[in-house]
Amino acid sequence: MEGRHAIVAILSCNDLDETQAFYEQLGFAATSVYEAHGYRILHDPNGASIHLTRTEPGWVIAERNAHGLYFYCEDVDSLAARFGCTAEPKPWGLREFALSDPNGTLVRIGWHGP
């Protein structure tokens, strides 16, 4: 893997399979799986990546999870439709929608546009 300047979120997960399945709906796929360490790396076709790490059962309480991600994705409208949502124009110049992953992590998805 060629190095590049980047920052990547590492998300704590109660269930790696369930969480991976959620992010697969956003276009991500596992590119590295380290089952013995409870760790997975996912990428989308455009180079975005996210890391998942397994936690002790019950450590992440979805209803109290204050963590969030912002996913800049040109395909925001079709992703919104896939989840039964609508991307709406925001005053900051993006069209976006939001949902939560199985661990309660807020995922905002947006792209520049009217």
Side-chain angles (χ1 to χ4, degrees):
M1 179 174 156
E2 184 178 318
R4 71 173 201 261
H5 189 87
I7 190 167
V8 176
I10 302 172
L11 297 179
S12 298
C13 308
N14 289 322
D15 183 318
L16 284 171
D17 292 333
E18 180 183 36
T19 304
Q20 179 178 326
F22 171 84
Y23 287 99
E24 286 173 347
Q25 293 179 67
L26 293 175
F28 288 81
T31 53
S32 298
V33 176
Y34 306 96
E35 287 302 330
H37 299 284
Y39 202 87
R40 298 181 187 175
I41 300 172
L42 285 60
H43 286 91
D44 80 351
N46 295 316
S49 66
I50 191 165
H51 294 207
L52 307 177
T53 187
R54 182 179 51 236
T55 61
E56 293 296 320
W59 187 82
V60 176
I61 301 169
E63 298 80 22
R64 297 183 62 193
N65 188 344
H67 295 92
L69 303 172
Y70 200 101
F71 179 31
Y72 291 94
C73 181
E74 188 172 6
D75 204 16
V76 64
D77 290 305
S78 66
L79 283 180
R82 184 178 300 167
F83 286 93
C85 300
T86 302
E88 299 177 356
K90 298 297 182 181
W92 42 90
L94 297 174
R95 294 180 51 71
E96 68 178 44
F97 73 102
L99 45 102
S100 294
D101 78 6
N103 304 287
T105 301
L106 173 65
V107 181
R108 288 194 186 276
I109 302 163
W111 194 252
H112 306 280

